[in-house]
Amino acid sequence: MKIFGKIKNMSTDLKEKQPNESVNINNKATLEYQGQKLELPVVTGTENEQAIDISKLRAETGLITLDNGYVNTGSCQSAITFIDGEKGILRYRGIDIEELAERSNFVEVAYLLIYGKLPSKEELEQFSTGLTNHSLLHEDMIHFFAGYPSTAHPMAILSSMTGSLAAYYNDNPQEQTEESLNLDLIRLLSKLRTIACFSYKKSIGQPLIYPNNKLSYCSNIMSMMFAVPTEEYYIDDEIVKVMNQLLILHADHEQNCSTSTVRMVQSSGASIYACMSAGISALWGPLHGGANQAVLEMLKQIHDSGMNYKDFLKEVKDKKSKIRLMGFGHRVYKNFDPRAKILRKACDRVLDKLGVSDPLLEIAKGLEEEALKDPYFVERKLYPNVDFYSGIIYSALGIPVDMFTVMFALGRLPGWLAHWKEQYNFDKKKICRPRQVYTGASLNPYIPLRDR
Ligand code: CMC
């Protein structure tokens, strides 16, 4: 029997098909170096993508591979998310992102990613009830918020508070049961939302609004961020829908920087809370999740300076300027990011619904139009990514700029948890430990301080 807090008979199963069960390794590649030939297995995934398995290369030849930024390195086999960057395809557990964004909701997608299948009605109810029952923080943790300066970035708070959860739910990672692991997944999904909203309330000096068990996952986010104890708070269905869409679109993206970080930290056997805290820190950078904040700052800068966006693009193309068009380009997508397409439509819908006319949206559309016909961007296959329009929607919802990356983190959490779980259960898992080509000094004698 598995228990999610008070809910019994939850039919989720932590064990799932091993990610390497459905791959084909019949093909071989031959590597020839200095007269030595080595046959290497070629692994073929379910969508026919192929990889040369070099795990025995060093043992047999003394050579390693070198791949700065892991541009061409497959770090694992995974059955969670499929991306075809050339065709602009993104699927979670085989289901197209467009269909999920239109027809599903964030809680259901979280279940799909973590447990590998769409839940039955009963499973979804139990999962949702688990999230409802675990939304509160230990009251001692409320005091933590008072310790941060009012200028603290909410990502700093989210990352450190998430790590601190390990102090309250201190299960030995080596002695987890299926039941305790399921509970950790639920706690993280539910409590991180509360931490994120509380950190916002603290930053603006308003009283904390506790989660409300009558509200859905996304309605609770809006309520905890924007309600005040003195007034009724009305939540619009259209706003809840777009919040669900934003979180769904961010929910997983295979081996991106933060997810790879989560898997790497997990490989050492660290607590799941430490792994998620590490993922949040990795996400924070402007080339990753921090890009949504950087996009809005860029648009605002163009607007406030009165600069023509065509002149801004000239600066971007001038390599000496070191300016990038934030929200453009992607390591994997060399075609439209399907998430950006969905968000562009959602952006028009939400601004229309809220009656907001945002000059930054006009600048963003202008930049996109110009960039998509400019040879610099065309030749490099640079298209708008998920972050190009998300910030404009968050702004329209009243979410402040420094909370954007926090929203991304809440969205990405099910993906991190799914990858954490997949790796945790992998029969042949190993500690992640890349090698290097050393380029430093050769053997040097130690010189005592007095002789230097
Ligand atoms: N603006 C201008 N030039 C760019 C951009 C950009 N946004 N992105 C890439 N380039 C150029 C880059 O200068 C390089 O040109 P060259 O060949 O002349 O040296 C070429 O395109 C290839 O770029 P790269 O940096 O080698 O590509 P990468 O795969 O290492 O980087 C990236 C991917 C997302 C970090 C990069 O495109 C970028 O910095 N984009 C802006 C930041 C951004 O929007 N990040 C969010 C990514 S989506 C959310 C997420 O998954 O986290």
Side-chain angles (χ1 to χ4, degrees):
M1 185 191 298
K2 298 122 206 166
I3 306 172
F4 274 170
K6 293 176 207 145
I7 320 140
K8 304 198 175 179
N9 295 325
M10 174 94 186
S11 59
T12 51
D13 192 351
L14 267 182
K15 277 278 169 214
E16 58 185 90
K17 200 167 77 165
Q18 289 293 303
N20 59 343
E21 271 172 27
S22 49
V23 298
N24 171 354
I25 45 166
N26 291 332
N27 297 333
K28 296 229 183 306
T30 308
L31 178 82
E32 198 173 337
Y33 182 67
Q34 293 186 338
Q36 198 184 352
K37 271 192 185 174
L38 180 69
E39 284 214 320
L40 298 164
V42 174
V43 176
T44 306
T46 45
E47 294 292 337
N48 220 27
E49 70 282 22
Q50 300 196 315
I52 300 173
D53 178 350
I54 49 96
S55 51
K56 301 257 168 14
L57 183 64
R58 188 170 183 277
E60 305 214 358
T61 64
L63 294 167
I64 60 165
T65 54
L66 182 63
D67 182 17
N68 183 27
Y70 307 140
V71 176
N72 206 41
T73 294
S75 59
C76 61
Q77 292 169 26
S78 176
I80 301 169
T81 286
F82 172 68
I83 303 176
D84 184 329
E86 273 69 38
K87 294 191 184 135
I89 293 174
L90 170 61
R91 293 181 204 140
Y92 298 159
R93 303 284 188 182
I95 305 178
D96 196 77
I97 191 66
E98 226 168 304
E99 218 179 341
L100 289 170
E102 202 40 57
R103 301 178 61 188
S104 187
N105 63 57
F106 179 63
V107 170
E108 187 179 60
V109 167
Y111 188 103
L112 169 73
L113 285 166
I114 295 172
Y115 296 106
K117 66 176 188 81
L118 286 170
S120 67
K121 192 165 175 282
E122 195 200 12
E123 285 164 342
L124 186 59
E125 256 170 41
Q126 289 177 330
F127 186 60
S128 301
T129 312
L131 295 177
T132 302
N133 287 346
H134 290 280
S135 60
L136 291 176
L137 303 183
H138 190 295
E139 274 295 302
D140 287 354
M141 287 190 84
I142 307 296
H143 303 299
F144 293 6
F145 289 102
Y148 293 101
S150 59
T151 51
H153 196 288
M155 282 297 274
I157 300 179
L158 186 66
S159 149
S160 53
M161 297 277 283
T162 301
S164 302
L165 287 171
Y168 292 85
Y169 307 106
N170 191 19
D171 302 323
N172 179 348
Q174 271 52 261
E175 288 171 18
Q176 293 266 34
T177 60
E178 193 170 326
E179 181 186 324
S180 69
L181 278 174
N182 266 326
L183 198 48
D184 280 339
L185 301 173
I186 288 286
R187 279 186 190 128
L188 277 154
L189 277 170
S190 197
K191 293 184 197 303
L192 259 63
R193 174 187 55 166
T194 309
I195 293 172
C197 299
F198 281 10
S199 72
Y200 171 61
K201 282 296 198 194
K202 275 284 166 190
S203 75
I204 54 168
Q206 284 190 0
L208 302 181
I209 299 294
Y210 278 64
N212 179 344
N213 284 1
K214 289 190 192 129
L215 296 179
S216 70
Y217 191 92
C218 285
S219 303
N220 249 321
I221 295 179
M222 299 303 289
S223 158
M224 282 193 273
M225 283 187 78
F226 299 117
V228 285
T230 44
E231 280 173 22
E232 280 287 315
Y233 180 67
Y234 168 74
I235 305 166
D236 187 283
D237 285 349
E238 189 68 45
I239 303 304
V240 175
K241 179 174 176 176
V242 81
M243 179 63 82
N244 269 291
Q245 283 189 326
L246 280 159
L247 297 187
I248 289 171
L249 294 177
H250 286 91
D252 193 39
H253 217 233
E254 46 116 308
Q255 309 310 320
N256 57 86
C257 177
S258 54
T259 303
S260 300
T261 302
V262 166
R263 291 186 87 122
M264 184 167 249
V265 180
Q266 195 288 325
S267 78
S268 76
S271 130
I272 190 169
Y273 299 100
C275 297
M276 296 307 134
S277 170
I280 293 165
S281 299
L283 186 76
W284 191 0
L287 296 188
H288 191 12
N292 52 16
Q293 175 166 350
V295 169
L296 214 86
E297 285 163 356
M298 172 189 78
L299 296 174
K300 209 165 169 323
Q301 197 192 332
I302 297 173
H303 177 261
D304 294 351
S305 67
M307 193 184 213
N308 182 316
Y309 52 74
K310 291 185 187 165
D311 292 336
F312 180 76
L313 284 185
K314 268 191 211 144
E315 281 195 22
V316 168
K317 290 188 286 179
D318 176 4
K319 290 280 175 192
K320 279 185 244 131
S321 78
K322 301 223 179 309
I323 297 176
R324 287 202 164 192
L325 178 56
M326 299 310 283
F328 252 70
H330 199 277
R331 171 63 60 79
V332 182
Y333 293 117
K334 301 301 167 199
N335 195 327
F336 259 97
D337 178 339
R339 304 168 299 173
K341 274 197 212 164
I342 299 168
L343 283 184
R344 195 187 202 277
K345 272 195 226 149
C347 203
D348 282 328
R349 211 176 62 231
V350 168
L351 266 62
D352 196 39
K353 167 87 194 177
L354 295 171
V356 174
S357 139
D358 188 344
L360 302 191
L361 178 60
E362 293 318 308
I363 296 175
K365 284 182 173 170
L367 278 171
E368 179 186 343
E369 202 182 319
E370 279 304 311
L372 290 179
K373 56 186 186 204
D374 188 308
Y376 175 96
F377 295 91
V378 175
E379 280 158 21
R380 290 171 179 75
K381 300 188 175 152
L382 302 171
Y383 293 86
N385 62 48
V386 68
D387 288 325
F388 198 63
Y389 287 105
S390 64
I392 296 173
I393 304 184
Y394 286 134
S395 272
L397 298 184
I399 295 172
V401 173
D402 63 1
M403 281 295 287
F404 289 1
T405 317
V406 171
M407 301 312 294
F408 191 156
L410 293 184
R412 184 54 53 89
L413 185 57
W416 291 333
L417 294 172
H419 284 272
W420 181 94
K421 176 171 159 282
E422 184 177 70
Q423 180 163 287
Y424 182 87
N425 282 321
F426 187 36
D427 289 343
K428 297 179 194 147
K429 67 171 173 274
K430 283 178 177 293
I431 187 164
C432 298
R433 202 307 187 181
R435 293 205 173 247
Q436 63 165 17
V437 175
Y438 175 69
T439 59
S442 295
L443 183 62
N444 247 334
Y446 173 79
I447 301 166
L449 190 56
R450 63 178 177 276
D451 299 335
R452 275 177 236 160

